[in-house]
Amino acid sequence: MLSRPKPGESEADLLHFQNQFLAARASPAVKIVKKADKRKGEEGSTDAERPPLQDSKDVVMLDDFPDVLPVLTPAPPKKSKVKSACVRFEDEDPEERLESHDRHITAVFSKIIERDTSAVAVTMPVPTGDPFPRTFHRSEIKSEVKVGTGGKSIFAQKMAARRAAEKAAAAPSAAECVQVRSAAPAALDPEGSAGEATLPSVMGDKAGDSQWPCLITGEGLGIQKREQEAQAIHKENLEKLQSMSEEEIRQEQEKLLAQLDSSLIAFLKSRRGGNEDQKKELKMEQNRLGEFVESLPVAQHGVGSSLSTRELGLEESVRKEENSKVEITDDDLPVKPKKEWIHMDNVEFDKLKWMKDLPSPRQKKTKKGMQARFSLKGELIPADADLPTHLGLHHHGEEAERAGYSLQELFHLSRSQVIQQRTLALQTLGRIVQKARAGEFASSLKGSILRLLLDAGFLFLLRFSLDDAVDNVMAASVGALRALLVSLDDEKYLDWTFSWYQGMAAFPFVPSNEEEEEEEEEEVNGTEKSQDKKVKDESKPDPDVARYDVVKGLLKTRIQHRLRYILEVVRPVPTVVLDILHILTHIARHSSEACSQLLDCPRLIETVVREFLPTQWDPQVAEPGRLLTSLHGVACAAAMKFIRVLASGGRNATARLLNQFEMKRRLSRFIAEDPLDLLLPREEAIRLSTEAFRLWAVAAGYGQACELYRDLYPVLVRILQSLPELLTSCPAKSPVIDLSVQRAAAVVTLLIRVTQTAACVEELQAKLSSNGSEDSEQIPPPPVTWSQVSGLQPFLETSLKKFLQEISQTETWQTFQPLTTTYVIYLGVYYSACSQQPSVNPVDCLEELECLTSKVLLPLLGQPAMHSMWDLLRPCSALCNPLSCSPAPESISSIASLSCAGGKPPLSLVGSKSPFPFLTALLFLIDSITRVHKGLTSKYGSVLGFSGLKDYLHQSWQAGPPSVTPSSAWMLRHEYHLQYFALALARRMAGACPDYAQHASLHHCVAMALLSRLLPGSEHLAYEVLLDLAFNQEFLPEGKTGGPEAADFSDILHLGTSAKLAQPGSAAASFSKATRGALLRESYQNLPSIRSCYLSHFVHLQPTLMRSQASYQGRNYLIQSMLLPEVRGPILPSDWPFFPLISLYNKVTNAETRGAVLNSLPLDLVNTVTWNLQWVLLLETWRAKTLQGIPTAAKLARLMCVFLTGSDLFLEAPIHRYTAALLAVYCHPKALDSLNLDAPIPGLASFHDLYLSLLEQFEGVSFGDPLFGVFVLLPLQKRFSIQLRLAVFGEHTSILQALGVPLQQFPVPLERYTSPPEDNLNLLRLYFRTLVTGALRHTWCPVLYVVAVAHVNCFIFSQDSTVQETDAARKSMLRKTWLLVDETLKKHLLYYRVLNAESPLGFDLYEQLPPMRLKYLQMVTQKENKENAPALVS
């Protein structure tokens, strides 16, 4: 083995090594092979038949290595331009194709055709005596400079003139020129010969005529042959075309267009029409001739002039195009050039046209939209706006005459190297986003600006700009990010509703993305979704996360760390600080996880607390008119609000804020001092004090910071004593009075939370003493007792009386309504807790309630202003007015928003005139009073009699189900509170007032609608409605007032229905059939058991129910967070009445999936199904409208679970009766008309799969049960999918022997199965086959027998024109029918006339065939006999 060359060895050594290798005759390590060119097509293609090319590259191959690298990732095959350009035809001979591509040297030599160069002019070099080319200056060239000729510069014009002069000097004499070119005028003459023309332009002229070819020029064949060969080929083509028909020409044309390359087609079309290049070439040739003709004598000069005039018409269009361009003169330029200026003796106006004034913009008359342009203030500029240029809105981009910047240009500008440009672009984008969120562009622009910006990467543009080192760029990006994320109007309304009933709790700002949920369901498959979702979010790229959730995407980029750096190190101006605090507040509203990330960010909370919530600051801040240059070191209400929202994320976060970050000390500082004494502007001081009280209220909502109550008790008493002074201290409708009212409402909200916490002390102490040390999780009692909070009630009740006296003053009442609402809520909470305190005398409590009722509440209910408030419920309702809570025009799914931009109208649920907050509080107070003192219930009967309330309840439950969005969920939650307390009062009135029955039906409908609408977080309300309202016999007065009897009477008289009411029988032992009235009566009596059944099946909601109960019952020590669960939809599904049946079906199906077989079902499961069917029957009979939201197809699919659960469950007597009764309801004509099995069914992936399961179950365990058979037959109606009928007659024909549903018991008219006639040939053949083979008989399956006979009869006697296959099939079927041995079937198929439900057969027969049918039958059968006659004779 030879060694490798080493360093230092010379070329002689290398040659020596080579000689040794050759002498040894060893095999080389590599070998050279000829590899095909990749550009000639892949291996195995049609090009592989070609011989290898001679010019192939040498490729070095290594042993044991493949020729082609393995493909690591699937990639699309490469397309060869050479291969695609090669056109092949279907009728092309392969041998000719191989010959044409033969590149062998012999093929090349045998096809050499020498080019004819006899007509090409040969010019010799001009002899000169200079050894080198002579240099020249352009000033020596004598030519006239033409300004504005084709955009050529002066130098280019000089050089062109010099080349023309050299050509003229080297050209032959004028006489020779005329002799050579004499053919040109004759060629242009129509009467001249066409054979002597040499100019290509002349050929182009003749190409316009059909007698001369457009593509074939004969170039290179010589002067004598070129025209003859071209004309011969053209003549042959014309003869070929004349021999073809128009259809053949069109087919060939389509074939060519399909096979030829698009660029080649465009080239051929350009040759036909003659393009601009040919015209330019013609013009150059004219100029060339003109130069020679100018030097001729006068007699010959006329010939040249006639040439130019001849060609004038051909150049007219070109000259018009050139003349259309506006010439630029001195007058158009703002600066007049002077000859004294250097190099300005010849002015090139084309190069100065950029100095000309812009043309006036005009809107294009087109249906397509124009590009939106914006001013630097973010305003949309109209397309035809003519703005002056000094505004700085014109630039050298696209559409220079239009003012403004497009979004694309602003994006480009935002990455500029110039700081001012980056800042200006970001500021403009921020203003555009702010105006877009306010809805200013909704009517002007098509599409969503925010969605367009986010798709273009606007979010990460801002994130990158935040990392800029320049303060201005940083400030502009913070402002734009605040405009994108934060809606100040949303924050305003959230603060407004903070003091409403349960207003402290709010839904998290987590976007609800169905697309993301679908992806997660596909990936996670429903197991451990929360953990897997968190892991997947961490592994996803930032843009993918931000696509669904902008806040989560920003947190992935660690934006909180950058904002902390800006606040702590950069220390920007106050506006930037406020924007950052708003952004942090919005992030804290996102979720508890976001709050945890903000709390865990190093030095973020410390910086906010230290810099913007100091305990002392410069007193000069409070000086009027003083402009703050820095907000650092000054107390700020926005910072306190951020801390408050952060505390709402959870009790642990609140504990960290109060203890680790010393917020208790700061709360004492800002609460103890009156806002007027704080060294801040007055409005800012009131806001800061308000947010301090709200933060304390949130902490007290967890049972924390209650020790401050004892320390600040004198301060609270002083504030409560001063609250009535608000009525006289400030004029109404002033900013200060509104802020003062919000502060007072925050104080009362704090007292509500402290009162709830104090009410739990006795309970916690009892648990602590009873458990001892056994329970590891012991909750210590809060440091506040009932005796410490009960002393404030007289102050608040006295203030309430004073404010209620202003209810008749509209403006004053609207100003102080928020404070009055919190007073009423406080009294409701106080008396609910007071009745449970062991230290309180119950008699004294009842006397106080009676006094409050008689002296305050009853007089209040009788005032005219209260009547007006009840009447405003419907106009302000979000349920009755869905548009009031619809998403804003620029709402996007990845950013949660309440859609309050621009403010809500006064007549809306959160508007200034809304009665909902006060009436909800009033009903809550009445509920608390009647719960404690049941004897006072009858005194509040007038509340349910208000016409405004009744009208509102009637309209609200009939409204369609509202769409659940962040904006609607927030508003609907408060509306549902009012409905619940109205129903709670109705429940107490039902047992106390004899004349309540007139309202019972209305309130039960409202309760049923409310159950399907309540949102997460209100599980306690749903439980109470299920427990006391939904199944309450008092709310179903029909059960007592003749409802069952009316149902029986309706069935007897067949009122409103033509359906057969006879119930299908049972395959089980005979049992007595009950009437619908008896079933309703039994169901009504079983309502308590039905209620227990449903409550037990909602046990999966127990954890969320416990959290909800803690919130609504005021057990603050159990509340974990003020953030409600994420809203994905209502708590209960819309089909919750079928929930026990669905749950049982899923349980059985899952057991069978695991391999277990349930041979027998326990008794409680049979009872469960029976109670479920009883409840659905009650609702379908007496509350049918409450189930209108569930499609009839969905109801039938749920009812099919009765047969799919277990083997013989449907044979149980009670289940069979109630299923049959419900089947009669769903077979009502109106129900059948609304039945649509082809549309997607909620909760069901595929009805086809469900039906196949039903067929398999019927084959296995049906025992020929007629009721089961009806459910199998229902989906086979003609208007539903043909796949269902093919499944029965194709794959499951065995069930035809067991589908013995009698025609008299079948509740669906047979016309729905036979009309219109069947036109599917495959199904008709299956019908005929099952009939002929005996698989389908009238005694086995009368319904489908009638259907099959009707369709086959209609088909075989149909004489409509149709395709040959169908015509042959029906004639063949008719012949086979005529030859049938079974005379009964033959008679039915031939003599079928019409359906007849009264007939035992189900149809009537002809006594004899009509003449038309008889004639057709004879024609078909005799034709067959004639065709078969020879065969029979032979």
Side-chain angles (χ1 to χ4, degrees):
M1 181 176 180
L2 299 177
S3 61
R4 290 179 176 274
K6 297 179 178 57
E9 293 178 345
S10 62
E11 292 185 4
D13 298 328
L14 295 178
L15 290 174
H16 178 64
F17 291 151
Q18 179 180 352
N19 294 331
Q20 289 182 356
F21 174 76
L22 295 175
R25 298 182 181 275
S27 61
V30 297
K31 81 180 168 181
I32 300 174
V33 297
K34 301 293 185 181
K35 189 171 180 67
D37 194 352
K38 292 182 180 180
R39 295 173 296 177
K40 301 305 179 184
E42 297 180 356
E43 185 177 357
S45 63
T46 55
D47 294 339
E49 301 176 1
R50 304 176 186 173
L53 305 179
Q54 298 299 325
D55 57 348
S56 300
K57 297 181 181 178
D58 292 341
V59 181
V60 178
M61 299 294 294
L62 299 177
D63 293 339
D64 300 329
F65 276 84
D67 295 342
V68 182
L69 290 177
V71 179
L72 299 180
T73 57
K78 295 182 179 179
K79 295 182 179 180
S80 174
K81 294 183 178 179
V82 178
K83 183 177 179 181
S84 62
C86 184
V87 181
R88 297 171 185 167
F89 299 93
E90 295 178 356
D91 54 351
E92 185 177 0
D93 187 6
E95 184 178 356
E96 294 180 359
R97 191 176 69 218
L98 287 175
E99 289 293 336
S100 64
H101 290 283
D102 188 5
R103 298 188 180 184
H104 195 264
I105 188 67
T106 58
V108 175
F109 282 158
S110 63
K111 296 180 181 179
I112 291 180
I113 299 177
E114 189 173 352
R115 183 181 180 87
D116 185 8
T117 58
S118 58
V120 178
V122 179
T123 57
M124 298 297 295
V126 179
T128 176
D130 299 332
F132 295 100
R134 185 175 61 85
T135 59
F136 68 95
H137 192 269
R138 60 177 177 161
S139 59
E140 302 175 3
I141 303 173
K142 297 180 180 180
S143 67
E144 181 181 356
V145 177
K146 299 179 181 180
V147 179
T149 56
K152 286 187 177 182
S153 63
I154 296 177
F155 178 78
Q157 295 179 43
K158 291 277 188 180
M159 296 303 295
R162 179 176 178 273
R163 284 192 292 268
E166 290 178 353
K167 255 183 206 178
S173 63
E176 294 174 353
C177 290
V178 173
Q179 185 177 356
V180 173
R181 304 279 179 170
S182 60
L188 291 172
D189 190 356
E191 299 176 0
S193 63
E196 299 176 357
T198 60
L199 293 177
S201 58
V202 178
M203 196 70 70
D205 277 346
K206 291 189 177 183
D209 190 4
S210 62
Q211 300 300 323
W212 191 262
C214 301
L215 303 177
I216 304 172
T217 60
E219 185 178 356
L221 296 178
I223 297 177
Q224 302 295 332
K225 294 183 179 180
R226 60 184 295 183
E227 293 184 3
Q228 297 176 3
E229 292 292 337
Q231 189 66 25
I233 295 173
H234 182 56
K235 183 178 180 181
E236 182 181 350
N237 290 338
L238 290 177
E239 292 176 353
K240 178 69 174 176
L241 288 174
Q242 290 175 358
S243 65
M244 299 171 65
S245 64
E246 292 185 3
E247 182 66 22
E248 292 175 343
I249 294 175
R250 187 182 60 80
Q251 291 179 358
E252 291 296 329
Q253 184 181 14
E254 292 177 355
K255 186 185 299 184
L256 284 174
L257 292 176
Q259 292 176 338
L260 293 178
D261 189 25
S262 58
S263 59
L264 184 57
I265 295 173
F267 167 72
L268 296 178
K269 289 182 177 179
S270 66
R271 293 282 294 178
R272 176 69 181 173
N275 53 13
E276 295 295 330
D277 295 337
Q278 291 176 337
K279 295 181 180 180
K280 291 181 180 178
E281 188 178 343
L282 173 64
K283 186 175 182 180
M284 293 173 58
E285 192 67 28
Q286 277 183 248
N287 296 338
R288 211 174 296 145
L289 286 174
E291 291 175 2
F292 291 113
V293 172
E294 287 176 358
S295 60
L296 297 179
V298 179
Q300 298 175 350
H301 189 270
V303 181
S305 61
S306 64
L307 172 67
S308 60
T309 54
R310 286 271 184 192
E311 298 296 326
L312 185 62
L314 297 176
E315 290 297 310
E316 186 175 357
S317 60
V318 180
R319 292 177 184 175
K320 283 183 179 180
E321 183 70 21
E322 293 178 353
N323 294 336
S324 63
K325 298 180 181 179
V326 181
E327 300 273 342
I328 301 177
T329 61
D330 288 344
D331 298 334
D332 297 330
L333 300 178
V335 179
K336 312 299 181 188
K338 299 180 180 179
K339 292 186 178 181
E340 295 80 16
W341 296 350
I342 187 171
H343 297 315
M344 293 299 286
D345 47 351
N346 292 325
V347 180
E348 300 177 78
F349 290 103
D350 282 347
K351 295 186 177 181
L352 298 179
K353 64 181 180 182
W354 64 272
M355 299 176 61
K356 181 186 173 184
D357 291 338
L358 291 171
S360 58
R362 54 192 179 89
Q363 191 167 2
K364 298 177 182 178
K365 294 182 180 180
T366 175
K367 293 183 179 180
K368 295 182 179 180
M370 301 182 68
Q371 191 175 36
R373 294 190 171 274
F374 302 89
S375 68
L376 299 181
K377 295 181 180 180
E379 298 169 346
L380 182 66
I381 299 178
D384 54 352
D386 191 4
L387 300 180
T389 56
H390 68 80
L391 298 177
L393 299 178
H394 293 80
H395 50 85
H396 297 289
E398 297 179 356
E399 301 176 323
E401 70 277 3
R402 289 186 58 193
Y405 291 83
S406 65
L407 295 178
Q408 182 179 2
E409 292 164 352
L410 288 172
F411 262 70
H412 183 72
L413 202 62
S414 64
R415 307 310 296 164
S416 170
Q417 295 292 333
V418 182
I419 296 174
Q420 292 83 351
Q421 290 181 347
R422 294 205 304 273
T423 305
L424 186 64
L426 291 171
Q427 288 175 345
T428 305
L429 286 171
R431 296 181 184 118
I432 292 172
V433 169
Q434 189 166 4
K435 292 182 181 296
R437 294 200 66 178
E440 295 187 15
F441 306 139
S443 60
S444 304
L445 297 181
K446 182 180 180 181
S448 170
I449 287 185
L450 294 185
R451 171 55 57 196
L452 182 65
L453 288 173
L454 290 177
D455 291 344
F458 179 58
L459 183 68
F460 293 95
L461 170 66
L462 298 180
R463 183 61 187 91
F464 299 151
S465 301
L466 270 182
D467 295 334
D468 203 302
V470 181
D471 291 353
N472 288 343
V473 177
M474 202 183 305
S477 60
V478 167
L481 188 60
R482 195 269 305 160
L484 178 66
L485 294 180
V486 183
S487 172
L488 296 181
D489 289 322
D490 288 357
E491 294 294 331
K492 169 189 170 184
Y493 281 99
L494 282 172
D495 295 342
W496 173 262
T497 59
F498 182 85
S499 297
W500 288 17
Y501 177 76
Q502 291 291 323
M504 190 180 298
F507 289 108
F509 277 20
V510 178
S512 56
N513 293 288
E514 297 179 359
E515 184 179 355
E516 183 185 18
E517 289 177 12
E518 291 175 0
E519 290 183 2
E520 289 176 359
E521 287 177 2
E522 293 175 0
E523 298 172 356
V524 180
N525 295 326
T527 58
E528 301 179 355
K529 282 188 178 181
S530 58
Q531 296 180 359
D532 290 349
K533 181 180 178 181
K534 186 175 181 181
V535 172
K536 286 182 186 241
D537 285 342
E538 292 176 356
S539 61
K540 283 182 180 178
D542 297 348
D544 291 348
V545 177
R547 177 185 167 197
Y548 301 113
D549 194 332
V550 167
V551 172
K552 190 179 289 186
L554 287 173
L555 288 174
K556 280 207 65 170
T557 65
R558 299 167 62 87
I559 189 175
Q560 66 272 28
H561 297 268
R562 182 59 182 174
L563 296 179
R564 188 272 312 161
Y565 173 82
I566 296 174
L567 290 177
E568 184 182 22
V569 179
V570 180
R571 303 171 71 87
V573 295
T575 54
V576 179
V577 171
L578 292 176
D579 287 344
I580 292 176
L581 292 175
H582 288 316
I583 293 172
L584 291 174
T585 302
H586 182 85
I587 294 175
R589 289 194 185 277
H590 178 269
S591 59
S592 297
E593 292 79 7
C595 293
S596 300
Q597 293 189 45
L598 293 178
L599 280 169
D600 295 338
C601 179
R603 301 195 308 280
L604 174 61
I605 308 301
E606 291 93 330
T607 301
V608 172
V609 173
R610 182 184 67 251
E611 298 292 346
F612 309 112
L613 292 174
T615 54
Q616 54 185 0
W617 55 88
D618 187 359
Q620 295 181 353
V621 174
E623 295 179 3
R626 179 179 176 84
L627 183 64
L628 279 179
T629 57
S630 176
L631 205 57
H632 287 69
V634 181
C636 175
M640 185 67 77
K641 180 178 179 179
F642 164 60
I643 300 297
R644 186 253 296 178
V645 175
L646 202 59
S648 300
R651 63 185 307 113
N652 295 332
T654 305
R656 289 180 62 182
L657 290 170
L658 293 176
N659 302 313
Q660 181 180 349
F661 301 107
E662 299 181 350
M663 284 306 300
K664 284 185 182 179
R665 185 163 63 90
R666 284 166 170 77
L667 280 178
S668 302
R669 164 73 175 85
F670 297 120
I671 288 175
E673 193 169 2
D674 190 88
L676 296 177
D677 299 332
L678 287 174
L679 299 177
L680 290 171
R682 187 176 180 183
E683 294 183 7
E684 181 67 15
I686 297 176
R687 290 192 187 96
L688 179 61
S689 178
T690 302
E691 290 300 335
F693 276 110
R694 287 173 178 166
L695 173 60
W696 191 9
V698 171
Y702 300 123
Q704 302 176 5
C706 291
E707 61 274 11
L708 293 177
Y709 177 79
R710 294 177 302 181
D711 301 336
L712 299 175
Y713 185 81
V715 177
L716 294 175
V717 173
R718 187 187 73 236
I719 294 174
L720 292 179
Q721 291 174 340
S722 64
L723 292 185
E725 300 175 1
L726 291 174
L727 289 170
T728 57
S729 60
C730 298
K733 295 300 180 185
S734 67
V736 175
I737 190 61
D738 289 338
L739 294 175
S740 300
V741 170
Q742 289 190 30
R743 175 175 176 268
V747 174
V748 181
T749 304
L750 164 67
L751 296 179
I752 292 172
R753 292 298 183 177
V754 174
T755 302
Q756 290 175 337
T757 303
C760 301
V761 172
E762 297 292 340
E763 180 184 356
L764 292 176
Q765 286 180 347
K767 287 184 178 180
L768 193 62
S769 59
S770 62
N771 291 338
S773 59
E774 297 178 1
D775 192 357
S776 59
E777 188 178 354
Q778 297 179 356
I779 302 176
V784 59
T785 61
W786 180 257
S787 59
Q788 294 172 341
V789 301
S790 59
L792 298 179
Q793 185 265 344
F795 292 103
L796 294 167
E797 188 171 341
T798 303
S799 299
L800 173 62
K801 294 176 183 178
K802 292 183 178 179
F803 281 103
L804 288 178
Q805 294 174 0
E806 304 294 330
I807 193 172
S808 59
Q809 307 294 328
T810 305
E811 293 186 1
T812 306
W813 174 252
Q814 289 183 9
T815 302
F816 293 99
Q817 179 183 333
L819 178 57
T820 313
T821 300
T822 54
Y823 280 148
V824 177
I825 296 173
Y826 171 82
L827 290 179
V829 170
Y830 174 81
Y831 285 114
S832 296
C834 180
S835 61
Q836 301 173 2
Q837 299 304 313
S839 59
V840 176
N841 187 357
V843 178
D844 295 340
C845 180
L846 296 179
E847 289 179 353
E848 291 181 9
L849 292 177
E850 292 174 357
C851 181
L852 178 66
T853 298
S854 60
K855 294 183 177 180
V856 179
L857 297 182
L858 291 181
L860 173 66
L861 292 174
Q863 294 195 23
M866 283 299 299
H867 291 265
S868 302
M869 293 180 69
W870 294 110
D871 293 338
L872 285 176
L873 282 176
R874 181 176 174 181
C876 296
S877 166
L879 285 172
C880 301
N881 306 282
L883 293 179
S884 63
C885 58
S886 59
E890 282 289 343
S891 294
I892 52 177
S893 59
S894 57
I895 301 178
S897 171
L898 302 184
S899 302
C900 296
K904 292 288 186 180
L907 286 178
S908 62
L909 195 140
V910 293
S912 58
K913 295 183 179 180
S914 173
F916 275 91
F918 178 74
L919 293 182
T920 303
L922 181 61
L923 290 173
F924 168 65
L925 175 58
I926 294 174
D927 179 70
S928 302
I929 293 173
T930 53
R931 183 185 293 113
V932 176
H933 195 328
K934 295 181 174 55
L936 297 176
T937 302
S938 59
K939 299 198 176 208
Y940 293 102
S942 61
V943 174
L944 299 178
F946 282 112
S947 60
L949 178 61
K950 290 190 293 185
D951 181 52
Y952 159 70
L953 292 177
H954 182 76
Q955 184 69 23
S956 64
W957 81 265
Q958 290 187 335
S963 59
V964 179
T965 60
S967 58
S968 65
W970 165 65
M971 298 175 68
L972 290 172
R973 177 172 175 266
H974 294 291
E975 184 165 357
Y976 296 155
H977 288 158
L978 182 137
Q979 290 189 356
Y980 168 75
F981 287 121
L983 294 175
L985 178 60
R987 176 175 57 86
R988 294 191 175 88
M989 294 288 295
C993 299
D995 57 345
Y996 168 74
Q998 58 180 339
H999 306 299
S1001 298
L1002 171 62
H1003 294 154
H1004 191 255
C1005 291
V1006 175
M1008 295 300 298
L1010 184 62
L1011 268 178
S1012 301
R1013 295 173 178 176
L1014 284 172
L1015 300 173
S1018 300
E1019 289 82 3
H1020 170 66
L1021 305 185
Y1023 177 79
E1024 290 294 327
V1025 173
L1026 282 172
L1027 185 65
D1028 297 329
L1029 292 167
F1031 305 99
N1032 194 331
Q1033 293 181 350
E1034 300 292 338
F1035 287 89
L1036 287 166
E1038 294 87 352
K1040 294 180 179 178
T1041 57
E1045 292 78 5
D1048 285 340
F1049 192 63
S1050 173
D1051 292 345
I1052 293 172
L1053 297 180
H1054 292 200
L1055 291 180
T1057 178
S1058 60
K1060 302 169 184 176
L1061 298 176
Q1063 295 182 2
S1066 173
S1070 61
F1071 52 82
S1072 59
K1073 294 184 179 181
T1075 62
R1076 188 157 62 111
L1079 297 177
L1080 288 172
R1081 193 177 298 108
E1082 183 183 3
S1083 303
Y1084 181 79
Q1085 293 171 355
N1086 287 339
L1087 277 175
S1089 301
I1090 296 174
R1091 179 184 64 180
S1092 302
C1093 170
Y1094 277 85
L1095 289 176
S1096 64
H1097 276 82
F1098 291 122
V1099 70
H1100 66 283
L1101 298 175
Q1102 190 68 23
T1104 55
L1105 174 62
M1106 297 296 294
R1107 290 193 291 269
S1108 178
Q1109 284 178 341
S1111 176
Y1112 281 97
Q1113 294 175 356
R1115 304 171 72 184
N1116 294 344
Y1117 63 92
L1118 295 177
I1119 297 177
Q1120 299 298 321
S1121 174
M1122 294 298 172
L1123 288 179
L1124 298 169
E1126 296 182 20
V1127 182
R1128 303 295 184 187
I1131 301 171
L1132 300 180
S1134 60
D1135 61 344
W1136 69 266
F1138 295 91
F1139 187 78
L1141 184 58
I1142 299 173
S1143 177
L1144 177 60
Y1145 167 73
N1146 291 333
K1147 184 184 300 183
V1148 173
T1149 305
N1150 294 337
E1152 293 176 352
T1153 304
R1154 293 192 298 267
V1157 179
L1158 298 180
N1159 294 322
S1160 61
L1161 296 175
L1163 180 62
D1164 59 338
L1165 294 184
V1166 176
N1167 291 335
T1168 297
V1169 176
T1170 303
W1171 291 330
N1172 193 164
L1173 296 176
Q1174 287 177 344
W1175 178 239
V1176 175
L1177 180 62
L1178 284 175
L1179 294 180
E1180 289 288 0
T1181 306
W1182 294 335
R1183 298 288 182 269
K1185 289 186 177 180
T1186 61
L1187 298 180
Q1188 283 182 344
I1190 309 175
T1192 307
K1195 296 176 183 177
L1196 273 177
R1198 272 74 175 161
L1199 212 54
M1200 287 178 180
C1201 295
V1202 174
F1203 303 97
L1204 295 174
T1205 301
S1207 57
D1208 56 354
L1209 178 67
F1210 63 94
L1211 296 178
E1212 297 290 336
I1215 294 178
H1216 199 278
R1217 291 195 195 101
Y1218 286 101
T1219 306
L1222 285 173
L1223 177 65
V1225 174
Y1226 298 142
C1227 289
H1228 191 277
K1230 290 184 179 179
L1232 289 176
D1233 291 340
S1234 64
L1235 181 62
N1236 185 7
L1237 300 178
D1238 297 333
I1241 300 176
L1244 191 63
S1246 170
F1247 181 81
H1248 183 264
D1249 296 340
L1250 178 70
Y1251 187 69
L1252 293 181
S1253 302
L1254 191 71
L1255 293 179
E1256 294 172 359
Q1257 187 79 351
F1258 185 85
E1259 288 177 338
V1261 298
S1262 69
F1263 304 104
D1265 183 71
L1267 179 64
F1268 201 163
V1270 173
F1271 277 88
V1272 173
L1273 293 172
L1274 265 178
L1276 300 180
Q1277 298 177 45
K1278 180 64 176 64
R1279 61 194 180 99
F1280 299 139
S1281 173
I1282 194 175
Q1283 300 299 328
L1284 303 178
R1285 300 191 290 280
L1286 288 173
V1288 173
F1289 285 91
E1291 305 169 7
H1292 299 274
T1293 54
S1294 59
I1295 71 172
L1296 298 177
Q1297 299 181 14
L1299 270 173
V1301 182
L1303 292 174
Q1304 292 75 18
Q1305 295 182 11
F1306 190 60
V1308 183
L1310 291 179
E1311 289 79 7
R1312 294 181 178 269
Y1313 293 82
T1314 59
S1315 179
E1318 185 61 62
D1319 55 357
N1320 186 276
L1321 189 57
N1322 293 330
L1323 182 57
L1324 287 166
R1325 286 170 174 166
L1326 291 177
Y1327 283 157
F1328 188 72
R1329 187 182 70 181
T1330 54
L1331 289 171
V1332 171
T1333 58
L1336 179 60
R1337 302 181 184 178
H1338 189 275
T1339 55
W1340 290 347
C1341 184
V1343 175
L1344 292 184
Y1345 181 86
V1346 173
V1347 173
V1349 167
H1351 282 302
V1352 172
N1353 174 269
C1354 182
F1355 177 68
I1356 61 178
F1357 283 109
S1358 174
Q1359 300 181 35
D1360 298 336
S1361 59
T1362 182
V1363 296
Q1364 183 178 359
E1365 180 186 5
T1366 305
D1367 184 64
R1370 66 189 179 191
K1371 289 180 180 179
S1372 173
M1373 203 175 292
L1374 180 58
R1375 294 190 198 104
K1376 292 178 181 178
T1377 304
W1378 176 252
L1379 299 174
L1380 277 175
V1381 179
D1382 188 348
E1383 293 295 333
T1384 304
L1385 178 60
K1386 176 180 178 180
K1387 182 178 180 180
H1388 291 172
L1389 289 177
L1390 293 178
Y1391 289 86
Y1392 170 86
R1393 180 179 181 182
V1394 69
L1395 292 174
N1396 184 4
E1398 303 299 331
S1399 172
L1401 287 176
F1403 54 87
D1404 291 336
L1405 298 174
Y1406 286 108
E1407 294 182 2
Q1408 58 182 6
L1409 283 178
M1412 215 171 175
R1413 288 194 173 191
L1414 182 61
K1415 182 178 179 181
Y1416 179 71
L1417 176 62
Q1418 292 174 352
M1419 181 188 71
V1420 174
T1421 55
Q1422 289 175 3
K1423 183 178 179 181
E1424 181 189 14
N1425 293 334
K1426 290 180 180 179
E1427 291 175 355
N1428 296 334
L1432 292 174
V1433 171
S1434 63

